[in-house]
mmCIF file of all heavy atoms in Angstrom:
data_model
loop_
_atom_site.group_PDB
_atom_site.id
_atom_site.type_symbol
_atom_site.label_atom_id
_atom_site.label_comp_id
_atom_site.label_asym_id
_atom_site.label_seq_id
_atom_site.Cartn_x
_atom_site.Cartn_y
_atom_site.Cartn_z
ATOM 1 N N SER B 162 45.749 172.326 84.353
ATOM 2 C CA SER B 162 45.234 173.325 85.299
ATOM 3 C C SER B 162 44.476 174.427 84.563
ATOM 4 O O SER B 162 43.407 174.851 84.995
ATOM 5 C CB SER B 162 46.376 173.961 86.090
ATOM 6 O OG SER B 162 46.968 173.011 86.944
ATOM 7 N N GLN B 163 45.049 174.897 83.467
ATOM 8 C CA GLN B 163 44.394 175.970 82.716
ATOM 9 C C GLN B 163 43.070 175.508 82.125
ATOM 10 O O GLN B 163 42.064 176.216 82.205
ATOM 11 C CB GLN B 163 45.322 176.451 81.592
ATOM 12 C CG GLN B 163 46.447 177.326 82.065
ATOM 13 C CD GLN B 163 47.315 177.793 80.902
ATOM 14 O OE1 GLN B 163 47.860 176.989 80.155
ATOM 15 N NE2 GLN B 163 47.414 179.104 80.731
ATOM 16 N N GLU B 164 43.094 174.311 81.537
ATOM 17 C CA GLU B 164 41.856 173.826 80.907
ATOM 18 C C GLU B 164 40.732 173.676 81.916
ATOM 19 O O GLU B 164 39.601 174.080 81.672
ATOM 20 C CB GLU B 164 42.127 172.485 80.197
ATOM 21 C CG GLU B 164 42.717 172.688 78.825
ATOM 22 C CD GLU B 164 43.081 171.383 78.137
ATOM 23 O OE1 GLU B 164 42.998 170.313 78.791
ATOM 24 O OE2 GLU B 164 43.462 171.439 76.955
ATOM 25 N N GLU B 165 41.074 173.089 83.076
ATOM 26 C CA GLU B 165 40.047 172.914 84.103
ATOM 27 C C GLU B 165 39.516 174.266 84.578
ATOM 28 O O GLU B 165 38.314 174.456 84.772
ATOM 29 C CB GLU B 165 40.618 172.119 85.285
ATOM 30 C CG GLU B 165 40.821 170.647 84.953
ATOM 31 C CD GLU B 165 41.460 169.857 86.091
ATOM 32 O OE1 GLU B 165 41.947 170.484 87.064
ATOM 33 O OE2 GLU B 165 41.482 168.624 85.991
ATOM 34 N N GLN B 166 40.435 175.203 84.766
ATOM 35 C CA GLN B 166 40.039 176.535 85.229
ATOM 36 C C GLN B 166 39.134 177.220 84.208
ATOM 37 O O GLN B 166 38.099 177.788 84.555
ATOM 38 C CB GLN B 166 41.302 177.361 85.504
ATOM 39 C CG GLN B 166 41.040 178.815 85.881
ATOM 40 C CD GLN B 166 40.275 178.963 87.186
ATOM 41 O OE1 GLN B 166 40.334 178.096 88.061
ATOM 42 N NE2 GLN B 166 39.528 180.057 87.322
ATOM 43 N N TRP B 167 39.511 177.146 82.953
ATOM 44 C CA TRP B 167 38.706 177.825 81.920
ATOM 45 C C TRP B 167 37.333 177.192 81.777
ATOM 46 O O TRP B 167 36.344 177.879 81.547
ATOM 47 C CB TRP B 167 39.455 177.823 80.579
ATOM 48 C CG TRP B 167 40.717 178.636 80.621
ATOM 49 C CD1 TRP B 167 41.012 179.640 81.506
ATOM 50 C CD2 TRP B 167 41.861 178.515 79.776
ATOM 51 N NE1 TRP B 167 42.265 180.149 81.260
ATOM 52 C CE2 TRP B 167 42.804 179.486 80.203
ATOM 53 C CE3 TRP B 167 42.179 177.697 78.694
ATOM 54 C CZ2 TRP B 167 44.052 179.650 79.571
ATOM 55 C CZ3 TRP B 167 43.421 177.862 78.066
ATOM 56 C CH2 TRP B 167 44.338 178.831 78.506
ATOM 57 N N THR B 168 37.286 175.867 81.885
ATOM 58 C CA THR B 168 35.997 175.194 81.801
ATOM 59 C C THR B 168 35.077 175.677 82.918
ATOM 60 O O THR B 168 33.907 176.011 82.694
ATOM 61 C CB THR B 168 36.175 173.661 81.915
ATOM 62 O OG1 THR B 168 37.080 173.246 80.892
ATOM 63 C CG2 THR B 168 34.859 172.931 81.749
ATOM 64 N N LEU B 169 35.624 175.722 84.123
ATOM 65 C CA LEU B 169 34.799 176.160 85.257
ATOM 66 C C LEU B 169 34.387 177.626 85.091
ATOM 67 O O LEU B 169 33.225 177.986 85.317
ATOM 68 C CB LEU B 169 35.554 175.969 86.577
ATOM 69 C CG LEU B 169 34.778 176.442 87.809
ATOM 70 C CD1 LEU B 169 33.478 175.658 87.977
ATOM 71 C CD2 LEU B 169 35.620 176.339 89.074
ATOM 72 N N GLU B 170 35.334 178.474 84.687
ATOM 73 C CA GLU B 170 34.989 179.880 84.473
ATOM 74 C C GLU B 170 33.853 179.997 83.465
ATOM 75 O O GLU B 170 32.938 180.804 83.636
ATOM 76 C CB GLU B 170 36.210 180.671 83.978
ATOM 77 C CG GLU B 170 37.164 181.048 85.086
ATOM 78 C CD GLU B 170 38.401 181.786 84.580
ATOM 79 O OE1 GLU B 170 38.335 182.411 83.501
ATOM 80 O OE2 GLU B 170 39.439 181.728 85.263
ATOM 81 N N GLY B 171 33.909 179.181 82.426
ATOM 82 C CA GLY B 171 32.850 179.186 81.423
ATOM 83 C C GLY B 171 31.493 178.899 82.046
ATOM 84 O O GLY B 171 30.518 179.609 81.802
ATOM 85 N N GLN B 172 31.463 177.856 82.901
ATOM 86 C CA GLN B 172 30.197 177.481 83.533
ATOM 87 C C GLN B 172 29.704 178.569 84.484
ATOM 88 O O GLN B 172 28.520 178.919 84.495
ATOM 89 C CB GLN B 172 30.378 176.167 84.313
ATOM 90 C CG GLN B 172 30.572 174.967 83.418
ATOM 91 C CD GLN B 172 31.003 173.743 84.216
ATOM 92 O OE1 GLN B 172 31.899 173.820 85.058
ATOM 93 N NE2 GLN B 172 30.373 172.610 83.949
ATOM 94 N N VAL B 173 30.615 179.101 85.274
ATOM 95 C CA VAL B 173 30.222 180.103 86.270
ATOM 96 C C VAL B 173 29.764 181.392 85.576
ATOM 97 O O VAL B 173 28.715 181.955 85.922
ATOM 98 C CB VAL B 173 31.395 180.386 87.235
ATOM 99 C CG1 VAL B 173 31.120 181.621 88.079
ATOM 100 C CG2 VAL B 173 31.645 179.172 88.123
ATOM 101 N N PHE B 174 30.498 181.821 84.577
ATOM 102 C CA PHE B 174 30.119 183.081 83.941
ATOM 103 C C PHE B 174 28.884 182.934 83.066
ATOM 104 O O PHE B 174 28.161 183.908 82.846
ATOM 105 C CB PHE B 174 31.318 183.702 83.213
ATOM 106 C CG PHE B 174 32.313 184.250 84.200
ATOM 107 C CD1 PHE B 174 33.560 183.673 84.363
ATOM 108 C CD2 PHE B 174 31.960 185.307 85.032
ATOM 109 C CE1 PHE B 174 34.443 184.148 85.318
ATOM 110 C CE2 PHE B 174 32.833 185.795 85.993
ATOM 111 C CZ PHE B 174 34.091 185.214 86.127
ATOM 112 N N HIS B 175 28.634 181.726 82.638
ATOM 113 C CA HIS B 175 27.367 181.470 81.963
ATOM 114 C C HIS B 175 26.205 181.761 82.939
ATOM 115 O O HIS B 175 25.229 182.415 82.583
ATOM 116 C CB HIS B 175 27.307 180.021 81.481
ATOM 117 C CG HIS B 175 25.987 179.624 80.917
ATOM 118 N ND1 HIS B 175 25.542 180.047 79.680
ATOM 119 C CD2 HIS B 175 24.985 178.868 81.435
ATOM 120 C CE1 HIS B 175 24.338 179.557 79.468
ATOM 121 N NE2 HIS B 175 23.968 178.840 80.516
ATOM 122 N N ILE B 176 26.350 181.282 84.161
ATOM 123 C CA ILE B 176 25.318 181.531 85.176
ATOM 124 C C ILE B 176 25.209 183.029 85.475
ATOM 125 O O ILE B 176 24.112 183.592 85.537
ATOM 126 C CB ILE B 176 25.636 180.742 86.469
ATOM 127 C CG1 ILE B 176 25.519 179.229 86.209
ATOM 128 C CG2 ILE B 176 24.716 181.156 87.613
ATOM 129 C CD1 ILE B 176 25.998 178.357 87.357
ATOM 130 N N TYR B 177 26.350 183.679 85.636
ATOM 131 C CA TYR B 177 26.320 185.108 85.976
ATOM 132 C C TYR B 177 25.742 185.953 84.827
ATOM 133 O O TYR B 177 25.029 186.931 85.064
ATOM 134 C CB TYR B 177 27.727 185.608 86.340
ATOM 135 C CG TYR B 177 28.258 185.045 87.654
ATOM 136 C CD1 TYR B 177 29.606 185.142 87.993
ATOM 137 C CD2 TYR B 177 27.403 184.410 88.567
ATOM 138 C CE1 TYR B 177 30.093 184.624 89.191
ATOM 139 C CE2 TYR B 177 27.880 183.889 89.756
ATOM 140 C CZ TYR B 177 29.226 183.996 90.064
ATOM 141 O OH TYR B 177 29.710 183.485 91.247
#
Side-chain angles (χ1 to χ4, degrees):
Chain B
S162 293
Q163 284 181 303
E164 277 176 353
E165 288 177 349
Q166 175 64 26
W167 295 338
T168 304
L169 178 61
E170 280 178 25
Q172 290 169 313
V173 168
F174 288 112
H175 173 74
I176 293 172
Y177 291 165

